[in-house]
Amino acid sequence: MPRFLLFYRLLVRPLLREPLRTALTVLAIALGVAVVLAIELAGGAATGSFRSSMETLAGDNDLEVVAAGGVPESVVGTLDQLPFPLRVVPRMEDYAVVTESKQTLPLIGLDLLAEGAAYTGPQALATLRGNKNDDPQKGLRDLADPLSVYVGASLKRKVGDPLPLLINDQLKTYTVRGVYPDGGGNESAIVMDLAAAQRALNRFARVDRVLIKLPGREQLPQWQARLRAALPAGLEVRPQGTGTTENRRMLQAFRWNLRLLSYISLVVGAFLIYNTISVSVVRRRGEIGIVRALGASRASVLAAFIGEAATFGFIGALLGLPFGRVMASGAVKLMAITVEALYVSSRPGSIALSLSSVVLAFAIGVGVSIISAYAPAREAAQVSPVEAMARGRREYDVRVHKGRDLLIAVLLAVAAEVASYAPPVAGKPLFGYLAAFLLIASSAFAIPAFVDGVSRISAGALQRTLGVEALLASRSLRASLRRTSVLVGALSTAIAMMTSVGIMVGSFRQTVLLWMGDQLPADLYLRPAGDPAADRHPTISPDLAAAIAHLPGVAAIDRLRAYEITYDGLPATLASSDLQILRAYKNSDFFSGRPTEQVLHDLRGANAVVVSEPFTYKHHVRIGDRLQLSLGETQASFRIVDIYYDYSSERGNIIMDRNTMLKYLPDETPSNLAVYVAPGASVDAVRAEIVQAAAGRRILIFSNRNLRGEAIRIFDRTFAITYALEAVAIVVAVMGVAGALLALVIDRRRELGLLRFLGSSKQQIRKLILVEAALLGLLANVAGVLLGFAMSLVLIFVINKQSFGWTIRFHWPVAISLGALTGVYLATVVAGLYPAQVAVRLNPLEVVHDE
Amino acid sequence: MSILSLQSVTKEYVGDGQPVRALDGVTLEVNAGEFVALVGRSGCGKSTLLNLAGAMDFPTSGAVLLDGVATSTLDDARLTVLRREKVGFIFQSFQLLHTLTVFENVELPLLLAGKSGARAAAENRLATVELTGLGDRLPHQLSGGQMQRVAIARALIHSPAVLLADEPTGNLDSTTSAVILQLLQRLTREKNTATIMATHSLEAAALADAVVRLRDGKVEEIIRR
Ligand SMILES: Nc1ncnc2c1ncn2[C@@H]1O[C@H](COP(=O)(O)OP(=O)(O)O)[C@@H](O)[C@H]1O
Ligand SMILES: [Mg+2]
């Protein structure tokens, strides 16, 4: 109890006397906690609980059979004839776009007649097959109709409603024949009868997946081996839902990186807590001395200040919880965009504010607060009663060991350099993160010397240009060096994050732009309408491709085809291109540096592939290695003749000659067309001809330039979330600056009042505080840009490389950087406006005391 | 006409509860070159009177005329200008800025007023208070008496007509006090300032040309020599 009283009198009461500053500190923590929580929750919804859309209505099966390019339908018969009591369920799995809402939904083809209620979700399927009261004959007739679809209830359609759907490049109006209750794990999907789906997708004699229910759960591996032996070599037999697991694994790195990015706001918040507690300690030195003299132990003083920080943390977390929950809804949307663009089609799950996330919020809020308060609290505990009282109300200047700190900074920087050379740990760039953290720590230690040096050197020039207020401001910043350093540290960390992520994204963007310039040799590119996603490869009708090839202005078309496959436990894209037609556009796009023409020559007609850069990092393969690929029912070995740069997706890509692929997967249907316009023909005219030829089909035609624009638009959307995270860190830092300036004003009220006695005007007092804010901002900007530059190198060449496997060329987006820095700078000055107002309103008669 | 004139000045402070009448009908004239001691018990209104005289505050009623200008008629900006030109303050606890050197402290009023030639003026004033050569020190490297002399140099930097000192020897030992008082007396003559000094000490009062005795905000008596 007495301890509590001490806590109250020494700490709580003074805080309540400065509600605004207290509120700013709490709010900073709250924001930090909220961001971490939001990313955690959104990550859980968008990636953690990732369930492949294709698991919709897949029910509870044990094994699945898949193959690149589809499983031959005959496999169903083979499996059925095995002497085991298996339940075998073939499925078509693709996507359809509901044109009215532009929603892309999974399209599932099921053998509705055969499956019956034995198949999962008995009620669901009962409804699927028509209404109970209906005439059973009608149900059968519906099934036979290739335009019948069955939809989830969440689509809000009634039986009999027309439903226009875009499937591949064909828009047709289907009829809703049944509605099943979705939700509860079953994402809304468009369900069709197997035959109808094959027809709609123009893929016959193959299904996308065969699900198998075993008579018993035991011995899964044995069953797997037994079934594999009975089936053609190219088919893969694996536990059901492997795709989901693989995708989850693929998404992990992404989630990790966002998570770490979200911690930056917390680091900024930690600086601010440190500052707040330091201010508390410095201000109450005299009182600490008195209570120590009256018998309070060191431990209870330590506990009191740690308690103060913990209270801040607790209240911050309390506010951060609902805040984070709200932010999570926004974050999940942004994340879903990135996931679709770079990885896999998915629909984010619902955001679950679980007990563990609540615990996380409090652990982070209170934990970070206590850790950052420890040093100043210990200092408070070490106050000797006599000395503190003797100094009375005189401001106590904290000694800062600039030299020693600078040495520590150098050591930390060296450690960061060393860490950046370490290889990834289990696919995660742990040492890269460590390097980034060490850099932040290093700059924190270097800042006192930096602030002191810069303000010492610049004082004269500042006074000459900005007047006496600048002299006073720079002296005051230097006088409370530690406080200034912590503020500069907080703000510069936020700026560094902004700069480094900005440089990383900017470099990436520039790299992509350059790369696309080399990548797109054709004049026009066609793909089916609908939103693109990394794992969706809708096709263009072969007859349309043929028609386009015969248009007068068309010199040649390249039919590109992509399949979604699994390689070595990870999703990948297998693609083919017509290498007879592909023009060597540039000397080399390849790692080996060989001329493109040579590489293409190696690929033509051979069992050879080129793989994308991310593929090599995921699977640890090199030029000359061989890949075992399952294509259709066969398995074959392909030599990697080269590696190409690819920034279109984080998934690995494998590319082979179209003729090679057709040998194994004889499906002529292309996913994309690249059209080369004949010399002399006008691109616009050809485009018009194509539009005419494609009448009734839904395809999108991109000129070279359009396609680049589109890609960059997707790119920018993809990185929106990183910008949002940066913005929060900046807001936290600027709030910290406002709070700290307020503290500075209050601590220096005597001096400010005195200046009025000495003939300063109110404007000069305001200017003094604003110049101080501006100086802080300037120091933080310079330190932040330096740190940010170093961190961007780590981000680009270590963290990005190790988590995603992209070679990014360094590029400083100067204009954007300058814009953002100016924005932050202005925000810092604006943050000084209120403290400046407080300074102006001080009554000099009250604040200039004689002791 | 006198440089400083208080005419039936009343000052009331409205705090939390009842208004406090700090000055009650004070009338006082101080001429250039005159050294006035303001004496009376703690709380009798000395500081209040100095603040009014220095245009740091307005009377509730009555008028304060600084060089013929009524302070109540001026806005904040004009008051600032008036202070910059006419008034120098000296405090009990010196009130130097710890982060500035002696030179910079002394220059400060001129710099705030945007006047040039600050360094030369500061050197001159430091010589006047016999501190030549200490300009580059920081305040904490000085003794109490030296600090107060820096404060006096600062108060004189812009050659004010009125010098207001609030218990300037309150924090000093008696020997040092005597030196400071003689300095103030001498400067009042040399610079022809109207100097008002609030003080407790009788020695201080003994040096003054006039002693104004305040009691509960009223002028009890004025003794002129
Ligand atoms: N800002 C203020 N608000 C309320 N009362 C004040 C204020 N300043 C001074 N007083 C009161 O006015 C009276 C005169 O104070 P002051 O001029 O400081 O006296 P002295 O300097 O002679 O000790 C005192 O009763 C004091 O309490
Ligand atoms: Mg007084």
Side-chain angles (χ1 to χ4, degrees), chain A residues 721-844:
Chain A
I721 188 155
T722 60
Y723 294 125
L725 286 175
E726 285 171 31
V728 175
I730 295 287
V731 168
V732 171
V734 169
M735 275 181 0
V737 171
L741 283 172
L742 211 51
L744 224 62
V745 165
I746 288 163
D747 289 351
R748 279 170 47 216
R749 52 188 185 270
R750 181 190 68 85
E751 182 188 324
L752 295 171
L754 179 66
L755 288 175
R756 300 276 287 138
F757 274 97
L758 299 183
S760 95
S761 65
K762 288 189 174 174
Q763 286 73 20
Q764 284 175 310
I765 298 288
R766 177 176 291 117
K767 183 171 165 195
L768 167 61
I769 303 299
L770 290 181
V771 167
E772 228 160 274
L775 280 179
L776 270 178
L778 192 67
L779 288 167
N781 265 301
V782 173
V785 168
L786 292 176
L787 174 62
F789 172 73
M791 274 170 66
S792 75
L793 298 180
V794 173
L795 276 179
I796 293 175
F797 298 111
V798 184
I799 295 182
N800 152 71
K801 188 82 181 213
Q802 293 183 5
S803 10
F804 304 113
W806 279 310
T807 296
I808 295 177
R809 278 155 244 200
F810 186 87
H811 167 82
W812 197 314
V814 178
I816 297 174
S817 277
L818 283 183
L821 290 175
T822 312
V824 174
Y825 189 67
L826 291 180
T828 321
V829 177
V830 168
L833 282 178
Y834 180 73
Q837 195 53 34
V838 171
V840 166
R841 271 196 251 126
L842 289 173
N843 179 353

Side-chain angles (χ1 to χ4, degrees), chain A residues 850, chain B residues 42-43 45-48 50 92 166-167 198 200:
Chain A
D850 272 324
Chain B
S42 181
K46 302 185 292 294
S47 298
T48 304
L50 292 182
Q92 177 178 346
D166 198 344
E167 306 193 22
H200 280 303

Side-chain angles (χ1 to χ4, degrees), chain A residues 843 845-846, chain B residues 11-16 18-23 39-51 57 166-167 198 200 214 217:
Chain A
N843 179 353
L845 300 181
E846 286 172 13
Chain B
K11 177 68 187 176
E12 283 183 2
Y13 289 109
V14 235
D16 314 324
Q18 296 204 317
V20 178
R21 185 163 287 201
L23 290 179
V39 297
R41 251 185 241 149
S42 181
C44 68
K46 302 185 292 294
S47 298
T48 304
L49 194 154
L50 292 182
N51 289 335
D57 207 354
D166 198 344
E167 306 193 22
H200 280 303
L214 280 181

Side-chain angles (χ1 to χ4, degrees), chain A residues 460-804:
Chain A
L462 277 173
Q463 188 184 347
R464 252 167 281 131
T465 48
L466 286 175
V468 62
E469 298 89 341
L471 171 74
L472 292 169
S474 76
R475 283 301 162 75
S476 136
L477 290 182
R478 237 180 82 200
S480 41
L481 184 55
R482 183 160 78 171
R483 201 189 285 198
T484 309
S485 303
V486 170
L487 275 183
V488 171
L491 192 53
S492 68
T493 303
I495 291 172
M497 172 192 172
M498 186 185 85
T499 307
S500 62
V501 173
I503 292 177
M504 197 260 286
V505 175
S507 301
F508 197 3
R509 198 172 188 273
Q510 185 67 15
T511 306
V512 168
L513 277 172
L514 285 173
W515 169 76
M516 277 193 306
D518 303 335
Q519 277 300 301
L520 304 171
D523 301 297
L524 293 170
Y525 288 86
L526 277 64
R527 68 165 163 80
D531 279 336
D535 64 336
R536 293 203 289 259
H537 311 292
T539 53
I540 296 174
S541 312
D543 56 326
L544 176 59
I548 292 171
H550 288 111
L551 289 175
V554 172
I557 64 167
D558 180 0
R559 295 171 171 83
L560 304 128
R561 178 65 194 257
Y563 290 100
E564 177 68 7
I565 67 161
T566 289
Y567 183 80
D568 199 18
L570 281 176
T573 303
L574 173 67
S576 68
S577 166
D578 198 335
L579 299 185
Q580 303 299 331
I581 289 164
L582 184 62
R583 267 185 221 152
Y585 198 61
K586 172 195 163 194
N587 262 341
S588 181
D589 290 316
F590 297 97
F591 267 40
S592 68
R594 289 191 301 159
T596 305
E597 195 39 54
Q598 251 181 53
V599 177
L600 296 185
H601 178 266
D602 287 355
L603 286 172
R604 280 185 194 121
N607 269 14
V609 294
V610 287
V611 296
S612 69
E613 187 187 9
F615 187 91
T616 63
Y617 294 105
K618 284 186 201 312
H619 301 292
H620 310 287
V621 290
R622 279 182 301 195
I623 296 174
D625 288 356
R626 300 196 79 87
L627 300 179
Q628 287 293 96
L629 295 179
S630 305
L631 301 171
E633 44 276 71
T634 46
Q635 203 171 40
S637 160
F638 294 83
R639 194 169 69 86
I640 300 177
V641 296
D642 222 318
I643 297 162
Y644 70 101
Y645 294 98
D646 175 41
Y647 304 96
S648 60
S649 136
E650 202 247 292
R651 306 146 54 88
N653 288 354
I654 306 168
I655 298 185
M656 59 177 67
D657 186 10
R658 178 172 163 83
N659 289 330
T660 313
M661 187 181 275
L662 285 176
K663 266 196 293 192
Y664 297 96
L665 299 169
D667 183 349
E668 305 246 345
T669 318
S671 317
N672 301 76
L673 294 179
V675 176
Y676 293 84
V677 171
S682 127
V683 175
D684 287 337
V686 171
R687 183 188 196 122
E689 286 171 17
I690 293 175
V691 169
Q692 216 163 36
R697 309 294 170 77
R698 296 301 155 123
I699 55 163
L700 300 177
I701 308 174
F702 296 92
S703 70
N704 219 306
R705 170 135 49 111
N706 289 156
L707 196 57
R708 276 175 217 163
E710 159 96 352
I712 282 298
R713 200 178 55 80
I714 294 174
F715 180 92
D716 289 340
R717 272 205 316 187
T718 303
F719 284 95
I721 188 155
T722 60
Y723 294 125
L725 286 175
E726 285 171 31
V728 175
I730 295 287
V731 168
V732 171
V734 169
M735 275 181 0
V737 171
L741 283 172
L742 211 51
L744 224 62
V745 165
I746 288 163
D747 289 351
R748 279 170 47 216
R749 52 188 185 270
R750 181 190 68 85
E751 182 188 324
L752 295 171
L754 179 66
L755 288 175
R756 300 276 287 138
F757 274 97
L758 299 183
S760 95
S761 65
K762 288 189 174 174
Q763 286 73 20
Q764 284 175 310
I765 298 288
R766 177 176 291 117
K767 183 171 165 195
L768 167 61
I769 303 299
L770 290 181
V771 167
E772 228 160 274
L775 280 179
L776 270 178
L778 192 67
L779 288 167
N781 265 301
V782 173
V785 168
L786 292 176
L787 174 62
F789 172 73
M791 274 170 66
S792 75
L793 298 180
V794 173
L795 276 179
I796 293 175
F797 298 111
V798 184
I799 295 182
N800 152 71
K801 188 82 181 213
Q802 293 183 5
S803 10
F804 304 113

Side-chain angles (χ1 to χ4, degrees), chain B residues 158-173:
Chain B
H158 53 306
S159 310
V162 176
L163 192 58
L164 303 169
D166 198 344
E167 306 193 22
T169 57
N171 278 16
L172 300 173
D173 60 61

Side-chain angles (χ1 to χ4, degrees), chain A residues 307-326:
Chain A
E308 176 181 3
T311 312
F312 274 130
F314 186 83
I315 301 173
L318 212 58
L319 291 175
L321 266 176
F323 224 28
R325 175 65 186 74
V326 172

